[in-house]
Amino acid sequence: MQRIRQLAAASCALTLATAGLVLSTATAHAAPAAACSQSYLPLPDPVCQPGAYNPDVTQATIGSTICVSGWTSTVRPPTSYTNPLKVQQITAYGYSDTSTADYEEDHLVPLELGGAPRDPRNLWPEPRYSTGGKTAGNKDTVENKLKTAVCNGQVGLDDARHAIATDWTTALSVTGVG
């Protein structure tokens, strides 16, 4: 009987969490109000996601890290980590569309430029739909061009990181890549 109660409590907690509620001493409380602003779209709120770097990636180590084909797959966090974070952050941004499929849990400073893989300050729920004519797919193109420029010695790693963390929509022109 004890096991059945434990399973029932766990099931209830999971149901409430999925609905955006928190179970605390047998009472449900609404999730906190939106804390991040959508007004910066297609960029994340810089207070909530200022970006963060992987300390293992420096200008001196790019030849053994980001410039090695397949390296990002060795540091990319699993969806078992990013999906729950995405759900929390969709709530924090107050998005009316709460379908996780409509968002990419994206690294502001991409792994391709040595962004911190698991730091929530570097991960945000980027809408897949157009915001101001810009989409998650557009950002992916910028990331790839900047990585190529860094690995070819055209742009310094710190300059590329700073440009994309500040405003990925202007990062190519700021760095002189595009």
Side-chain angles (χ1 to χ4, degrees):
M1 189 62 158
Q2 179 66 18
R3 182 75 178 138
I4 292 171
R5 284 189 193 127
Q6 289 173 334
L7 289 172
S11 176
C12 181
L14 179 60
T15 301
L16 290 171
T18 303
L21 302 172
V22 179
L23 187 64
S24 173
T25 59
T27 60
H29 301 283
C36 301
S37 175
Q38 297 177 38
S39 67
Y40 298 93
L41 289 174
L43 309 173
D45 182 328
V47 173
C48 295
Q49 280 79 38
Y53 302 158
N54 180 340
D56 296 333
V57 180
T58 65
Q59 188 69 45
T61 65
I62 62 171
S64 61
T65 56
I66 66 169
C67 297
V68 174
S69 180
W71 180 82
T72 58
S73 66
T74 68
V75 296
R76 186 172 307 282
T79 56
S80 60
Y81 174 78
T82 58
N83 282 347
L85 181 61
K86 184 192 305 190
V87 170
Q88 290 174 356
Q89 291 177 335
I90 286 171
T91 299
Y93 271 91
Y95 289 131
S96 58
D97 172 6
T98 58
S99 171
T100 57
D102 292 337
Y103 302 91
E104 176 179 329
E105 188 66 7
D106 198 24
H107 292 89
L108 177 60
V109 178
L111 299 179
E112 292 87 342
L113 293 174
R118 290 178 172 253
D119 191 325
R121 296 172 303 160
N122 197 44
L123 285 155
W124 72 293
E126 181 179 16
R128 292 188 190 278
Y129 50 83
S130 179
T131 51
K134 305 290 183 179
T135 65
N138 297 128
K139 183 172 180 284
D140 292 343
T141 299
V142 171
E143 294 169 2
N144 292 332
K145 287 182 178 183
L146 284 174
K147 176 194 167 191
T148 298
V150 167
C151 292
N152 289 340
Q154 296 169 288
V155 176
L157 177 64
D158 287 341
D159 292 337
R161 285 173 161 175
H162 178 73
I164 203 161
T166 302
D167 185 343
W168 69 263
T169 68
T170 62
L172 294 177
S173 61
V174 166
T175 57
V177 172

